[in-house]
Amino acid sequence: MTDETAAALTPAGRRDLLPAIEPERTLDDWGCSERIEGLFDQTVYEFYYRIWFRCEVEGVENVPSTGGALLVSNHAGALPPDAAMITKAIKEEHPHPRLVRPLVEHFFKGYPGFSMLAPKIGAVPAHPANVHRLLADEGQLALVFPEGRKGSEKLFKDRYRLRRFGRGGFVESAMRAAVPIVPIALVGAEEAQPIFAHVGVFQKLTRLIYFPITPTFPWLGPLALAGYLPAKFKIRFLEPVRTDDMGAAPWEDEGLVQEVAQEIRARIQEELIDMLGRRRSVWLG
């Protein structure tokens, strides 16, 4: 073995064999494409945010300007547009605009096309390791919907009635990263893509996570983007809940984790009731 070969087998030598990072690279470590995300932001998101849903935002200053934070919102609709509107709101209305990483469940892999598009526009798989890296290591904003699939499957007759917030995993993640939790109450998504029933037979035939009866036909994939009803969106950011003042290793106290999760759920539910009570029209606000 020559000296050159031996040197190439060392860690430093192997590193030298790797291609250099391209200066024009527009894809980050999470798979988000600056070009594709920017295109969606300037076209699709811009249209829905300003023209179609005519979003109104309150309390956006409650989102920290620096450091990690976990955003927690209610969730609904056959193909919910709430994540896109929340991320757009922070970009447009916050004094210090920031990128938000929506956390998506693994069952979204069942949607052809969307599973490839999601990471390109900034979404990240909802895994505890990913969440900790985003919040603690990179100091980013992450958006989670604790209702998960139960929220997006919700029927129209059950609108704005929050489902159980899982087992409080989002609280545990925030505690481990010692970052604040920012609750969000959003009105409008329930009417933008209402679900009136589910068809189990078609669900099995298509192998989708659910097959809803809705006027917006979400099973048509990309065509569903043209099917949202023009309900007016109102997004209210609530005061943050600190997790860095709850003692040492608070995530090990399951009772405390559940208590915080239930308090956040109750706060969001109360705000939704208040917002609905003030609303005079689904379409005009």
Side-chain angles (χ1 to χ4, degrees):
M1 179 182 297
T2 64
D3 293 340
E4 291 79 3
T5 302
L9 294 177
T10 64
R14 290 195 296 269
R15 191 177 301 112
D16 292 336
L17 298 177
L18 294 174
I21 296 178
E22 301 175 7
E24 64 276 10
R25 180 190 182 196
T26 60
L27 196 71
D28 68 14
D29 292 339
W30 295 100
C32 179
S33 168
E34 179 181 330
R35 178 174 59 86
I36 296 177
E37 192 276 334
L39 178 63
F40 267 75
D41 180 68
Q42 296 169 18
T43 56
V44 177
Y45 296 168
E46 183 74 11
F47 169 76
Y48 281 116
Y49 184 81
R50 300 195 183 278
I51 299 175
W52 199 250
F53 296 136
R54 295 148 287 132
C55 295
E56 289 186 9
V57 180
E58 301 177 28
V60 70
E61 65 277 2
N62 286 321
V63 178
S65 298
T66 59
L70 186 61
L71 312 181
V72 178
S73 177
N74 57 302
H75 194 46
L79 190 63
D82 39 27
M85 295 301 100
I86 291 172
T87 59
K88 182 68 172 175
I90 294 176
K91 275 190 175 183
E92 298 297 328
E93 315 295 343
H94 199 278
H96 303 282
R98 303 181 62 184
L99 177 66
V100 179
R101 300 284 189 172
L103 302 175
V104 297
E105 296 290 345
H106 294 282
F107 62 68
F108 273 109
K109 293 180 180 180
Y111 280 107
F114 184 79
S115 59
M116 297 179 61
L117 177 62
K120 299 294 184 184
I121 57 179
V124 174
H127 187 279
N130 291 342
V131 179
H132 189 79
R133 177 180 167 187
L134 284 170
L135 299 177
D137 300 337
E138 300 181 2
Q140 296 199 53
L141 298 177
L143 172 62
V144 64
F145 300 97
E147 291 178 279
R149 176 174 173 177
K150 298 188 298 294
S152 58
E153 288 181 339
K154 193 187 310 175
L155 298 181
F156 186 66
K157 65 182 180 65
D158 299 320
R159 59 192 179 280
Y160 300 114
R161 298 176 185 173
L162 294 186
R163 294 292 190 258
R164 182 171 177 268
F165 274 17
R167 299 178 179 177
F170 70 98
V171 175
E172 181 179 342
S173 295
M175 287 177 169
R176 288 180 179 276
V179 300
I181 300 173
V182 181
I184 303 171
L186 188 149
V187 166
E190 303 269 11
E191 293 87 7
Q193 262 197 349
I195 297 177
F196 301 112
H198 292 280
V199 185
V201 174
F202 290 157
Q203 176 188 355
K204 294 180 179 179
L205 290 175
T206 59
R207 295 185 179 180
L208 295 175
I209 58 173
Y210 52 79
F211 195 98
I213 295 179
T214 169
T216 54
F217 300 102
W219 50 84
L220 294 180
L223 293 181
L225 292 175
Y228 291 119
L229 301 178
K232 185 173 179 61
F233 273 35
K234 292 188 177 181
I235 308 172
R236 182 179 291 179
F237 295 87
L238 311 182
E239 292 186 6
V241 177
R242 292 183 57 182
T243 63
D244 59 351
D245 60 350
M246 297 181 177
W251 56 86
E252 295 181 355
D253 186 342
E254 295 184 5
L256 178 61
V257 170
Q258 284 294 326
E259 179 182 350
V260 174
Q262 290 304 316
E263 288 180 358
I264 291 175
R265 178 183 179 276
R267 286 181 59 185
I268 295 176
Q269 183 69 78
E270 290 175 1
E271 294 295 328
L272 288 174
I273 294 173
D274 178 70
M275 295 167 73
L276 291 171
R278 297 172 182 270
R279 186 172 67 169
R280 295 293 175 264
S281 168
V282 172
W283 318 113
L284 302 178

